[in-house]
Short mmCIF file of all heavy atoms in Angstrom, two decimals:
data_model
loop_
_atom_site.label_atom_id
_atom_site.label_comp_id
_atom_site.label_asym_id
_atom_site.label_seq_id
_atom_site.Cartn_x
_atom_site.Cartn_y
_atom_site.Cartn_z
N ALA E 275 0.02 0.15 -12.35
CA ALA E 275 -0.76 -0.68 -11.44
C ALA E 275 -0.09 -2.04 -11.33
O ALA E 275 -0.08 -2.80 -12.30
CB ALA E 275 -2.19 -0.83 -11.94
N SER E 276 0.47 -2.34 -10.18
CA SER E 276 1.23 -3.57 -10.03
C SER E 276 0.73 -4.36 -8.82
O SER E 276 -0.08 -3.90 -8.03
CB SER E 276 2.72 -3.26 -9.86
OG SER E 276 2.95 -2.51 -8.68
N THR E 277 1.26 -5.56 -8.71
CA THR E 277 0.91 -6.46 -7.61
C THR E 277 2.12 -6.60 -6.70
O THR E 277 3.19 -7.00 -7.16
CB THR E 277 0.49 -7.83 -8.14
OG1 THR E 277 -0.57 -7.68 -9.09
CG2 THR E 277 0.02 -8.72 -7.00
N VAL E 278 1.96 -6.26 -5.45
CA VAL E 278 3.04 -6.39 -4.48
C VAL E 278 2.51 -7.16 -3.27
O VAL E 278 1.30 -7.26 -3.06
CB VAL E 278 3.58 -5.01 -4.03
CG1 VAL E 278 4.16 -4.26 -5.21
CG2 VAL E 278 2.49 -4.19 -3.36
N LYS E 279 3.43 -7.70 -2.51
CA LYS E 279 3.05 -8.42 -1.30
C LYS E 279 2.78 -7.42 -0.20
O LYS E 279 3.66 -6.69 0.24
CB LYS E 279 4.16 -9.39 -0.88
CG LYS E 279 3.78 -10.29 0.28
CD LYS E 279 4.87 -11.29 0.59
CE LYS E 279 4.47 -12.20 1.75
NZ LYS E 279 5.54 -13.19 2.07
N LEU E 280 1.54 -7.36 0.25
CA LEU E 280 1.13 -6.41 1.27
C LEU E 280 0.64 -7.15 2.50
O LEU E 280 -0.06 -8.16 2.40
CB LEU E 280 0.00 -5.50 0.76
CG LEU E 280 0.34 -4.47 -0.32
CD1 LEU E 280 -0.92 -3.76 -0.76
CD2 LEU E 280 1.37 -3.48 0.17
N THR E 281 1.02 -6.63 3.64
CA THR E 281 0.42 -7.11 4.88
C THR E 281 -0.76 -6.20 5.22
O THR E 281 -0.83 -5.05 4.77
CB THR E 281 1.44 -7.09 6.02
OG1 THR E 281 1.93 -5.75 6.20
CG2 THR E 281 2.59 -8.03 5.71
N SER E 282 -1.67 -6.71 5.98
CA SER E 282 -2.84 -5.92 6.34
C SER E 282 -3.31 -6.29 7.74
O SER E 282 -2.95 -7.34 8.27
CB SER E 282 -3.98 -6.15 5.33
OG SER E 282 -4.40 -7.50 5.35
N TYR E 283 -4.09 -5.39 8.31
CA TYR E 283 -4.70 -5.64 9.61
C TYR E 283 -6.17 -5.34 9.50
O TYR E 283 -6.58 -4.20 9.26
CB TYR E 283 -4.05 -4.78 10.69
CG TYR E 283 -4.68 -4.98 12.06
CD1 TYR E 283 -4.45 -6.15 12.78
CD2 TYR E 283 -5.48 -4.01 12.62
CE1 TYR E 283 -5.01 -6.35 14.03
CE2 TYR E 283 -6.06 -4.19 13.88
CZ TYR E 283 -5.81 -5.36 14.57
OH TYR E 283 -6.38 -5.55 15.80
N ARG E 284 -6.98 -6.39 9.59
CA ARG E 284 -8.43 -6.26 9.51
C ARG E 284 -8.85 -5.50 8.26
O ARG E 284 -9.53 -4.46 8.33
CB ARG E 284 -8.98 -5.61 10.78
CG ARG E 284 -8.78 -6.52 12.00
CD ARG E 284 -9.46 -6.01 13.24
NE ARG E 284 -9.46 -7.03 14.29
CZ ARG E 284 -9.96 -6.87 15.51
NH1 ARG E 284 -10.49 -5.72 15.84
NH2 ARG E 284 -9.92 -7.84 16.38
N ALA E 285 -8.41 -6.01 7.12
CA ALA E 285 -8.80 -5.53 5.78
C ALA E 285 -8.15 -4.22 5.38
O ALA E 285 -8.37 -3.74 4.28
CB ALA E 285 -10.32 -5.42 5.65
N TRP E 286 -7.33 -3.62 6.26
CA TRP E 286 -6.69 -2.35 5.92
C TRP E 286 -5.21 -2.61 5.64
O TRP E 286 -4.49 -3.08 6.51
CB TRP E 286 -6.84 -1.35 7.07
CG TRP E 286 -6.34 0.02 6.75
CD1 TRP E 286 -5.12 0.56 7.08
CD2 TRP E 286 -7.02 1.03 6.00
NE1 TRP E 286 -5.01 1.83 6.61
CE2 TRP E 286 -6.16 2.15 5.93
CE3 TRP E 286 -8.26 1.09 5.38
CZ2 TRP E 286 -6.52 3.32 5.27
CZ3 TRP E 286 -8.62 2.27 4.74
CH2 TRP E 286 -7.76 3.36 4.69
N PRO E 287 -4.73 -2.33 4.41
CA PRO E 287 -3.34 -2.63 4.08
C PRO E 287 -2.36 -1.73 4.82
O PRO E 287 -2.65 -0.56 5.09
CB PRO E 287 -3.27 -2.38 2.56
CG PRO E 287 -4.41 -1.47 2.27
CD PRO E 287 -5.48 -1.77 3.28
N ASN E 288 -1.20 -2.29 5.18
CA ASN E 288 -0.12 -1.49 5.74
C ASN E 288 0.61 -0.80 4.59
O ASN E 288 1.08 -1.45 3.66
CB ASN E 288 0.83 -2.40 6.53
CG ASN E 288 0.16 -3.01 7.74
OD1 ASN E 288 -0.59 -2.34 8.44
ND2 ASN E 288 0.40 -4.29 7.97
N MET E 289 0.72 0.52 4.66
CA MET E 289 1.16 1.32 3.52
C MET E 289 2.50 1.99 3.78
O MET E 289 2.86 2.27 4.91
CB MET E 289 0.11 2.39 3.20
CG MET E 289 -1.29 1.86 3.05
SD MET E 289 -2.47 3.21 2.81
CE MET E 289 -4.01 2.32 3.05
N HIS E 290 3.18 2.29 2.67
CA HIS E 290 4.38 3.12 2.74
C HIS E 290 3.96 4.58 2.82
O HIS E 290 3.06 5.01 2.11
CB HIS E 290 5.25 2.89 1.50
CG HIS E 290 5.74 1.48 1.36
ND1 HIS E 290 6.79 0.99 2.08
CD2 HIS E 290 5.31 0.47 0.58
CE1 HIS E 290 6.99 -0.28 1.76
NE2 HIS E 290 6.11 -0.62 0.85
N ASP E 291 4.64 5.34 3.66
CA ASP E 291 4.25 6.74 3.81
C ASP E 291 5.01 7.67 2.87
O ASP E 291 4.85 8.88 2.93
CB ASP E 291 4.46 7.19 5.26
CG ASP E 291 5.89 7.01 5.74
OD1 ASP E 291 6.74 6.57 4.93
OD2 ASP E 291 6.17 7.28 6.92
N SER E 292 5.86 7.12 1.98
CA SER E 292 6.64 7.98 1.09
C SER E 292 6.46 7.58 -0.37
O SER E 292 7.29 7.90 -1.21
CB SER E 292 8.13 7.91 1.45
OG SER E 292 8.62 6.59 1.28
N GLN E 293 5.37 6.88 -0.69
CA GLN E 293 5.09 6.53 -2.07
C GLN E 293 3.87 7.28 -2.56
O GLN E 293 2.88 7.41 -1.83
CB GLN E 293 4.85 5.02 -2.21
CG GLN E 293 6.11 4.18 -2.15
CD GLN E 293 5.81 2.73 -2.47
OE1 GLN E 293 4.73 2.24 -2.22
NE2 GLN E 293 6.78 2.05 -3.05
N PHE E 294 3.95 7.75 -3.80
CA PHE E 294 2.79 8.39 -4.42
C PHE E 294 1.92 7.26 -4.96
O PHE E 294 1.99 6.90 -6.14
CB PHE E 294 3.24 9.35 -5.52
CG PHE E 294 4.10 10.46 -5.00
CD1 PHE E 294 5.48 10.34 -5.00
CD2 PHE E 294 3.53 11.62 -4.49
CE1 PHE E 294 6.29 11.37 -4.51
CE2 PHE E 294 4.33 12.65 -4.00
CZ PHE E 294 5.71 12.52 -4.01
N ALA E 295 1.10 6.72 -4.08
CA ALA E 295 0.41 5.47 -4.40
C ALA E 295 -0.97 5.44 -3.78
O ALA E 295 -1.26 6.13 -2.80
CB ALA E 295 1.23 4.28 -3.90
N LEU E 296 -1.82 4.63 -4.38
CA LEU E 296 -3.10 4.26 -3.81
C LEU E 296 -3.13 2.74 -3.67
O LEU E 296 -2.53 2.03 -4.48
CB LEU E 296 -4.25 4.73 -4.71
CG LEU E 296 -4.40 6.24 -4.90
CD1 LEU E 296 -5.42 6.54 -5.98
CD2 LEU E 296 -4.80 6.91 -3.59
N TYR E 297 -3.82 2.25 -2.65
CA TYR E 297 -3.85 0.83 -2.35
C TYR E 297 -5.29 0.32 -2.49
O TYR E 297 -6.22 0.93 -1.97
CB TYR E 297 -3.34 0.57 -0.94
CG TYR E 297 -1.89 0.94 -0.75
CD1 TYR E 297 -1.51 2.27 -0.53
CD2 TYR E 297 -0.89 -0.01 -0.81
CE1 TYR E 297 -0.18 2.63 -0.37
CE2 TYR E 297 0.45 0.32 -0.65
CZ TYR E 297 0.78 1.65 -0.43
OH TYR E 297 2.11 2.00 -0.28
N LYS E 298 -5.42 -0.81 -3.17
CA LYS E 298 -6.77 -1.34 -3.42
C LYS E 298 -7.26 -2.13 -2.22
O LYS E 298 -6.54 -2.97 -1.67
CB LYS E 298 -6.77 -2.22 -4.66
CG LYS E 298 -8.17 -2.55 -5.17
CD LYS E 298 -8.14 -3.22 -6.52
CE LYS E 298 -9.55 -3.34 -7.10
NZ LYS E 298 -9.54 -3.99 -8.44
N LEU E 299 -8.51 -1.86 -1.84
CA LEU E 299 -9.12 -2.61 -0.75
C LEU E 299 -9.74 -3.89 -1.29
O LEU E 299 -10.53 -3.84 -2.24
CB LEU E 299 -10.20 -1.77 -0.06
CG LEU E 299 -9.73 -0.60 0.80
CD1 LEU E 299 -10.94 0.08 1.43
CD2 LEU E 299 -8.77 -1.05 1.88
N PRO E 300 -9.42 -5.03 -0.69
CA PRO E 300 -10.07 -6.27 -1.12
C PRO E 300 -11.53 -6.27 -0.72
O PRO E 300 -11.86 -6.04 0.45
CB PRO E 300 -9.27 -7.36 -0.39
CG PRO E 300 -8.68 -6.66 0.80
CD PRO E 300 -8.44 -5.24 0.39
N MET E 301 -12.40 -6.49 -1.67
CA MET E 301 -13.84 -6.45 -1.42
C MET E 301 -14.39 -7.87 -1.43
O MET E 301 -14.36 -8.56 -2.44
CB MET E 301 -14.54 -5.61 -2.49
CG MET E 301 -16.03 -5.46 -2.27
SD MET E 301 -16.46 -4.26 -0.99
CE MET E 301 -15.98 -2.74 -1.81
N GLN E 302 -14.89 -8.33 -0.28
CA GLN E 302 -15.49 -9.65 -0.20
C GLN E 302 -16.90 -9.62 -0.79
O GLN E 302 -17.64 -8.67 -0.60
CB GLN E 302 -15.53 -10.14 1.24
CG GLN E 302 -14.17 -10.39 1.86
CD GLN E 302 -14.29 -10.93 3.28
OE1 GLN E 302 -15.39 -11.13 3.81
NE2 GLN E 302 -13.15 -11.16 3.92
N ALA E 303 -17.23 -10.69 -1.50
CA ALA E 303 -18.57 -10.80 -2.07
C ALA E 303 -19.55 -11.28 -1.02
O ALA E 303 -19.20 -12.03 -0.10
CB ALA E 303 -18.55 -11.76 -3.25
#
């Protein structure tokens, strides 16, 4: 579980399509 610089569009992260990965959604309080 690491921290990388991700771009997003309207709370949805832009993802790599060739990584065995899950991306965390930022949850606003």
Side-chain angles (χ1 to χ4, degrees):
S276 63
T277 305
V278 299
K279 186 176 181 180
L280 290 176
T281 58
S282 63
Y283 179 72
R284 294 187 169 179
W286 186 261
N288 295 319
M289 308 175 193
H290 299 281
D291 57 2
S292 62
Q293 285 188 330
F294 299 93
L296 296 171
Y297 296 81
K298 193 170 189 180
L299 288 182
M301 183 78 69
Q302 293 183 1

